[in-house]
Structures are given as C-alpha cells and as structure tokens.
Amino acid sequence: MPAEAASSGAEPPGAPRERRRRRGRGRARTEALLHTLKRSRRVKANDRERNRMHHLNAALDELRSVLPTFPDDTKLTKIETLRFAYNYIWALSETLRLAEQCLPPPHSCRGPPAPPSPGSDAGSWLSSSSPAPPSLCASASGPSSPATSEDCAFASPDGLRGFRGLPPPAAPPGAPCR
DNA sequence: TAGGCCATCTGGTCCT
DNA sequence: AGGACCAGATGGCCTA
C-alpha cells in the first residue's frame, strides 16, 4: 500500500508541528483502515470456511444416508462414518469377489447377485445371508494389514457393528470357495 | 466432572 | 491478490 509506505518514512527535520500532527492522524487513519480491511477479509474468510465445512458435513450426511445403521436412528459420528464407509466398501467388494469366484462357468452364469442398495435391505444382507468377512476388524493401513485391538474400537460380536471398525485382512487370492 | 464430539475462528500455506 | 485447504485453539453441549 503506497499510502502506508509514504507515511512510514522518517519525518523531515524542521517540519511544522501542525503538519506532523496531521501526518500522525493520517497514519492512525490508514492503520484503522488497514485494520478494518483486515477485519473484513477475516470475516469473509470465516464465512467461506464455515460454508466449506457445511459442504463437507453435507457430503458426510450423504455418505451416512447410504450406509446402513442399527438402529436406524443412530447417527454415526464423523470418524465412525468414514471408517464404516471404508469397511462397507471393503465388504461389498469382497462379496463381489467371492461371488465371482464361486459362480459356475460363464455360459450358465447369470452374473453375481446385485448387491442390495445399501439404503434398503443392506442390514439383513450384511448381518445374515452374506458371506461374512472372516473378521471385521483390522488396522487402518489397509485391508491386507492385521487387525489390532486399538483399531477395533467399534468391533463387537453382533454383526454389523463390527463394520464400524476397520476392515479385515483380505482373503488370500485364490482362497478356496465353499 | 471428565471426556468425546462438534462448530467456529484463526493464521499459515498453497494454488490460480 | 484472493480463494481453498489445513491444522490448532477454543468454547459449548451432551453423556457416562
């Protein structure tokens, strides 16, 4: 800002008092202006940030809406939602993989059963009739990593709740089909 | 009351 | 320069 640069220069010797005072007032004024400018920028930035977080939360809500929860009115926390989604995707892809492995030859194949829409029947699909994953808990480092008790925060004996934890290690490739 | 979760503010950094 | 993104700080609310 040129105005401020000018005002920050050294006062020339012998400048009349009145001029000096005026200059001082001018400086105070530009500082106040600068302050309000900064303030208004901050307020705008806060507004954007709030908006951004609202969008993030909306996306998180959308994600929640496609995840099965038990009971239905349970609202997953943010971290639970992310972990659960991770595991849910893992479980779905694992189911798909197993289905493909176990299917008869292609000519008689009708294709793997379409996974139910998570919003509808996902609960029963996950809790009973699906090929349940060997373990519902593993470390965050990926499906192939071993489970740790710490990562198992949400694992529990009753079916789905385990999905809130981190996913189990993937079955070894070519694992026998039952 | 402690601990968990959340929203908001804030300053820093990176990108366009 | 301005916006997006990020992480830390702070304070409020809720629950065990």
Side-chain angles (χ1 to χ4, degrees):
Chain A
M1 195 183 282
E4 201 201 16
S7 70
S8 64
E11 188 70 27
R17 271 192 184 183
E18 180 55 27
R19 224 178 109 200
R20 222 182 302 174
R21 215 181 302 157
R22 242 186 253 159
R23 214 175 254 206
R25 255 184 291 174
R27 181 183 183 140
R29 191 155 166 268
T30 47
E31 273 176 6
L33 229 53
L34 206 61
H35 182 261
T36 52
L37 183 66
K38 276 185 181 175
R39 186 67 219 159
S40 81
R41 276 188 195 151
R42 232 312 109 196
V43 167
K44 269 208 246 176
N46 288 348
D47 209 42
R48 283 194 304 272
E49 178 66 9
R50 214 178 306 125
N51 224 25
R52 198 180 69 84
M53 295 311 290
H54 286 169
H55 280 116
L56 188 63
N57 287 339
L60 217 45
D61 278 338
E62 269 182 60
L63 183 57
R64 275 190 196 102
S65 72
V66 299
L67 295 174
T69 57
F70 303 94
D72 280 345
D73 58 347
T74 305
K75 190 187 177 187
L76 300 173
T77 65
K78 292 181 175 182
I79 186 72
E80 280 175 339
T81 302
L82 292 176
R83 288 193 170 135
F84 190 4
Y86 180 90
N87 289 353
Y88 190 54
I89 291 168
W90 178 88
L92 289 177
S93 51
E94 194 68 1
T95 302
L96 214 54
R97 193 181 65 78
L98 288 175
E100 276 167 3
Q101 267 185 15
C102 299
L103 274 180
H107 51 271
S108 63
C109 176
R110 291 184 200 168
S117 84
S120 59
D121 200 21
S124 59
W125 171 70
L126 282 171
S127 57
S128 56
S129 61
S130 69
S135 148
L136 290 172
C137 183
S139 88
S141 51
S144 58
S145 317
T148 69
S149 61
E150 218 171 285
D151 291 326
C152 238
F154 308 106
S156 72
D158 58 329
L160 180 66
R161 282 196 68 81
F163 277 96
R164 293 192 186 190
L166 291 158
C177 221
R178 299 191 197 188

